[in-house]
Amino acid sequence: MNFLNKKIKNIGIFAHVDAGKTTLTEQLLYHTGAISHLGRVDHGDTLTDSLDLEKERGITIMSASTSYTYKDQKVNIIDTPGHTDFVAEVERSMLALDGAVLVISAKEGVQSHTKLLFNALNRMNIPTLIFINKIDRMGVVIEHVINGIQKLLSTNIITMQSVSDSGCRDATISATGLKADDKTIELLSEVDDMLMMDYLEGGMIETERLRTLLKTAVNERLAYPVFFGSALNNIGVEEILDAVNDFLPQFTPLESEMPGGIVFGTGRSHKKKGRFSVLKLTSGYLKKFDNIGEDKVTNISIWENGRVKTTDHLNAGDIGLVMGLHHLNIGDVFGCTQNKNMLSLGKPTLRSKISSKQPIQRKALLEALSLMQEADPYLSYELSDFNDDIYINLFGYVQMEIVKEMLKRDYGVEVEMADPMTIYMETPLEESSASKMMFEDGLRFSAGVALKIEPLERGSGVQYHSEVGTGDLKPTFQKGVEDGVFAFIDQGLKGWELTDMKITFTDFQFNSVDSTPKEYRDLAPLVLFEALQKSGTRLLWPVSDYTLNIPVTLMGKAISDLQQMQATMSEPMIEGETCVIKGQVPNENLNHYEMKVHEYTSGMGFFESKFSGYEDAPKDVYYEREKFKIDPANRGKYLLSKLNTF
């Protein structure tokens, strides 16, 4: 049996916050008959913003899937969050896409988050159309928007329409068609060498030939067609529907009848009882009661014309809600599939203490956080071994408020959250070794362990290596050493997670009568922290790469600002009347600087930043984090804890 439906496209809609992507999604659904009522964000009745919080705040928080059918083409469409605090949702949605529509507000132009999204789509090789929205907003100058796209995103754009009366309510668009001009020919010659020769020889260049070449160029990310409109006022909606059909690629299934796919979301069904996986099937077909590894598919639903519909199978290329896959998490693949690597658009760099207003609800809070973390791996939390303290990692203040509201509404738990603090990390200052052999220094462990630590380059993470052969010490005992080490690397000497270090298991002692894996697991942290104390640790803080574009006349102010922010700076590059400065800036000093740039440059400046990793903090910057588990550096308390008397 072959269920394959070749006419499926999975597209994402991406934009900076308030650019109009949810409104555009609503119009696409309405125009294709998927919904009978046209919702509005400001009225709180859009289909994809289904959460109460989304309706009230007028922003998208969770990626929402839906679908429409237009001219026999099924399109699964994912409306993604625009706010920078929800980049994890954006990141996951990209795993399932065949193409994308990048929405840019004609009023605000290209924003820092717009560029971050555009670059991410390029890195993931996702063909992209550009839709310039809100052309009827007062003060809009189309030429300025196009110049911004060419300057900040790509010069390889082809405008497919012209705009009349932009900046007023009577704005209209008209198709210009593909013109055989110098720029278009030069761009499309990248996919057809003969095109330039025919053009120079004065031959007739047919429009259909140009459209075919443009489709290829879009698929290969060599060109970006630009369309105009106003989603709110139904301008350009039908044209973007046609563009999705004409220029974004069809899904091409892998040549296998076995089901294969990738999971890009998880969640809970009604009343949070049943766990479902949101996945894209990339090969074969998936039926109810099929086995995927250890799991059995118990239910399948798909999106069809704006609604979720239960079905008995999932076609290759389609997106579905699948129940029963308890062992697959976000980013996991199964069967025959093309494994797209998870992006890294960001990393939580804030940490806040969270507690339930009613102490009796602590257990309910932990259960709620576990369910929320299941759907968002970045939303991690930690528990203190000493008291009831719970800490949560966040992207920003908006996300913090959303988490509080979701806990209250969805789980009935009212919480208090302390002011967030920056998440630092630690790394060893130098190479160091330590050992504790059997019963040495009065220790009562029937085991001996020797470890060596070495600092590594920034971004290396933690590497573990054993020089002890499995013929000398059985793997189960060696696993005890490794488990003991990794159980405590999330809390270094200053309380921060350890990183950029190599840990080597170099020697051991063993007693065939008394030694157990637990003895090695309990001893290893003591040895590790003795080596760390000999070495000392350096504090690392999160930094972001930035690009600052400002008028030359404001270069002095910009440099002064960057110096106060402790940013590194490249040599300023002067391009006409614009100055471009690049470098790195500590995250905790950003303080929404993109908004300040927009203000002091009267909208002519642009500041883009993207998390790049951790670097050495200045020597005058010193923060300790409250320890949330027993500290192996405090030998007495650690040993008491192992004797169950602490």
Side-chain angles (χ1 to χ4, degrees):
M1 186 183 297
N2 185 5
F3 294 118
L4 183 60
N5 177 3
K6 295 182 179 179
K7 303 203 71 176
I8 294 176
K9 292 185 181 183
N10 300 297
I11 70 168
I13 296 188
F14 299 89
H16 189 273
V17 65
D18 201 32
K21 57 184 172 30
T22 300
T23 304
L24 176 61
T25 302
E26 199 77 6
Q27 285 281 14
L28 298 179
L29 295 172
Y30 181 71
H31 268 257
T32 56
I35 57 176
S36 57
H37 169 73
L38 190 60
R40 286 182 52 161
V41 173
D42 52 352
H43 292 171
D45 58 354
T46 59
L47 178 69
T48 51
D49 283 352
S50 57
L51 298 176
D52 288 340
L53 273 173
E54 294 176 314
K55 295 175 181 178
E56 291 176 13
R57 291 174 175 257
I59 61 173
T60 302
I61 297 169
M62 306 295 289
S63 291
S65 296
T66 185
S67 77
Y68 65 79
T69 300
Y70 182 66
K71 297 181 179 179
D72 296 325
Q73 170 71 65
K74 179 179 180 180
V75 176
N76 288 318
I77 187 168
I78 300 174
D79 180 29
T80 58
H83 200 284
T84 54
D85 281 10
F86 304 103
V87 292
E89 281 294 312
V90 176
E91 176 180 292
R92 290 194 289 273
S93 72
M94 290 185 180
L95 295 171
L97 300 183
D98 304 312
V101 177
L102 181 65
V103 181
I104 299 174
S105 169
K107 181 66 174 177
E108 288 79 25
V110 176
Q111 302 287 295
S112 58
H113 196 57
T114 316
K115 187 170 183 181
L116 184 149
L117 291 168
F118 181 80
N119 291 340
L121 288 166
N122 269 336
R123 287 195 301 272
M124 290 287 281
N125 296 322
I126 297 174
T128 303
L129 308 178
I130 296 175
F131 180 71
I132 299 178
N133 192 25
K134 304 184 181 182
I135 62 170
D136 51 355
R137 289 282 295 274
M138 186 179 297
V140 163
V141 180
I142 295 299
E143 290 75 15
H144 292 172
V145 185
I146 294 297
N147 289 339
I149 293 173
Q150 292 176 321
K151 183 177 180 180
L152 301 170
L153 301 185
S154 174
T155 57
N156 293 353
I157 62 172
I158 297 178
T159 56
M160 305 295 288
Q161 298 155 338
S162 62
V163 181
S164 301
D165 299 321
S166 61
C168 64
R169 293 182 179 180
D170 297 326
T172 59
I173 60 172
S174 56
T176 56
L178 274 171
K179 298 179 180 178
D181 54 25
D182 291 352
K183 180 181 179 181
T184 301
I185 296 299
E186 183 179 354
L187 263 180
L188 300 185
S189 292
E190 293 289 327
V191 293
D192 183 356
D193 296 334
M194 294 298 297
L195 181 65
M196 179 63 76
M197 186 177 298
D198 294 341
Y199 179 66
L200 293 175
E201 291 177 353
M204 181 66 179
I205 309 295
E206 296 179 354
T207 301
E208 191 56 38
R209 179 183 179 186
L210 293 178
R211 289 181 66 84
T212 301
L213 292 176
L214 178 57
K215 181 175 181 178
T216 303
V218 170
N219 291 353
E220 296 180 6
R221 282 79 58 201
L222 298 172
Y224 303 93
V226 176
F227 300 85
F228 302 93
S230 171
L232 184 62
N233 294 314
N234 188 26
I235 302 173
V237 176
E238 190 168 342
E239 287 80 359
I240 201 68
L241 280 168
D242 286 328
V244 168
N245 275 19
D246 294 343
F247 297 114
L248 292 182
Q250 293 283 136
F251 169 76
T252 303
L254 300 176
E255 294 182 1
S256 171
E257 292 190 2
M258 295 296 295
I262 183 165
V263 177
F264 67 95
T266 60
R268 292 275 164 175
S269 61
H270 185 57
K271 296 184 179 180
K272 312 295 184 289
K273 290 184 178 179
R275 181 180 188 268
F276 62 79
S277 303
V278 187
L279 60 87
K280 176 184 179 180
L281 201 67
T282 55
S283 66
Y285 53 89
L286 187 65
K287 304 190 306 300
K288 190 174 179 180
F289 304 128
D290 277 353
N291 291 314
I292 302 295
E294 305 174 54
D295 300 325
K296 182 185 291 289
V297 174
T298 58
N299 192 65
I300 302 174
S301 299
I302 59 173
W303 284 271
E304 190 168 291
N305 292 326
R307 293 290 180 265
V308 177
K309 171 187 173 183
T310 302
T311 182
D312 59 357
H313 69 274
L314 185 65
N315 297 330
D318 215 346
I319 291 174
L321 291 170
V322 179
M323 305 281 288
L325 304 183
H326 305 291
H327 293 84
L328 291 179
N329 296 310
I330 293 170
D332 288 347
V333 299
F334 61 92
C336 182
T337 188
Q338 295 169 328
N339 183 13
K340 289 186 177 180
N341 294 324
M342 289 289 283
L343 281 170
S344 181
L345 295 183
K347 181 176 182 179
T349 57
L350 295 177
R351 182 174 184 265
S352 176
K353 183 177 177 179
I354 183 172
S355 59
S356 54
K357 288 185 177 181
Q358 299 179 27
I360 196 173
Q361 286 194 305
R362 183 175 186 272
K363 180 180 178 182
L365 171 59
L366 289 173
E367 290 175 350
L369 289 175
S370 295
L371 292 174
M372 292 171 70
Q373 180 177 305
E374 185 179 274
D376 183 353
Y378 281 146
L379 194 68
S380 57
Y381 66 94
E382 299 166 343
L383 304 178
S384 171
D385 282 352
F386 306 111
N387 47 44
D388 289 341
D389 288 350
I390 307 170
Y391 299 91
I392 187 170
N393 296 332
L394 302 161
F395 280 99
Y397 287 86
V398 173
Q399 186 191 23
M400 182 173 75
E401 293 302 316
I402 296 298
V403 167
K404 289 171 67 174
E405 286 296 313
M406 291 182 72
L407 285 168
K408 179 180 178 180
R409 298 184 188 208
D410 294 352
Y411 300 94
V413 180
E414 290 193 59
V415 299
E416 295 175 334
M417 297 178 74
D419 289 339
M421 67 182 299
T422 300
I423 298 174
Y424 291 83
M425 300 189 86
E426 294 179 58
T427 191
L429 286 169
E430 58 188 16
E431 182 179 318
S432 177
S433 298
S435 66
K436 284 287 179 285
M437 292 299 134
M438 205 170 290
F439 305 115
E440 183 180 339
D441 290 345
L443 295 175
R444 298 184 178 182
F445 293 109
S446 297
V449 171
L451 297 171
K452 179 175 70 175
I453 62 172
E454 304 166 73
L456 297 176
E457 292 183 0
R458 297 293 163 262
S460 301
V462 176
Q463 300 176 13
Y464 181 85
H465 177 68
S466 176
E467 292 180 350
V468 177
T470 54
D472 299 316
L473 185 66
K474 292 181 179 179
T476 53
F477 294 88
Q478 296 212 34
K479 186 68 164 52
V481 176
E482 185 176 354
D483 288 347
V485 164
F486 279 94
F488 286 89
I489 61 171
D490 55 351
Q491 180 182 272
L493 299 180
K494 302 177 178 68
W496 302 101
E497 183 179 347
L498 292 160
T499 189
D500 299 343
M501 63 184 295
K502 181 179 180 181
I503 305 170
T504 305
F505 179 27
T506 58
D507 200 4
F508 73 100
Q509 276 189 340
F510 174 76
N511 182 317
S512 61
V513 176
D514 301 316
S515 294
T516 66
K518 183 180 185 302
E519 299 279 329
Y520 289 91
R521 185 166 54 251
D522 290 346
L523 178 59
L526 276 179
V527 179
L528 172 65
F529 274 74
E530 183 175 313
L532 284 169
Q533 288 175 308
K534 290 179 181 178
S535 163
T537 60
R538 183 191 308 277
L539 201 64
L540 306 178
W541 63 358
V543 298
S544 290
D545 293 329
Y546 74 85
T547 300
L548 175 61
N549 294 62
I550 38 94
V552 172
T553 54
L554 295 170
M555 183 171 66
K557 172 175 174 47
I559 291 175
S560 175
D561 287 349
L562 292 170
Q563 288 173 338
Q564 291 182 23
M565 293 160 64
Q566 297 179 278
T568 63
M569 286 176 276
S570 63
E571 186 71 25
M573 297 179 292
I574 309 299
E575 301 174 355
E577 299 180 357
T578 301
C579 172
V580 180
I581 305 175
K582 297 184 178 183
Q584 284 190 334
V585 59
N587 280 29
E588 68 178 41
N589 295 339
L590 279 170
N591 296 322
H592 302 291
Y593 187 61
E594 69 276 6
M595 297 173 64
K596 298 177 183 177
V597 171
H598 188 80
E599 290 174 3
Y600 79 71
T601 64
S602 299
M604 299 180 66
F606 174 87
F607 182 81
E608 175 201 12
S609 64
K610 178 180 182 295
F611 174 77
S612 61
Y614 279 79
E615 297 292 343
D616 296 357
K619 292 182 180 179
D620 61 342
V621 173
Y622 185 88
Y623 292 104
E624 284 200 23
R625 181 172 75 166
E626 182 181 356
K627 302 291 177 65
F628 60 94
K629 59 170 63 173
I630 299 298
D631 183 6
N634 188 325
R635 173 172 159 171
K637 288 187 176 180
Y638 177 79
L639 292 175
L640 283 172
S641 74
K642 294 305 172 184
L643 292 172
N644 295 320
T645 58
F646 175 63

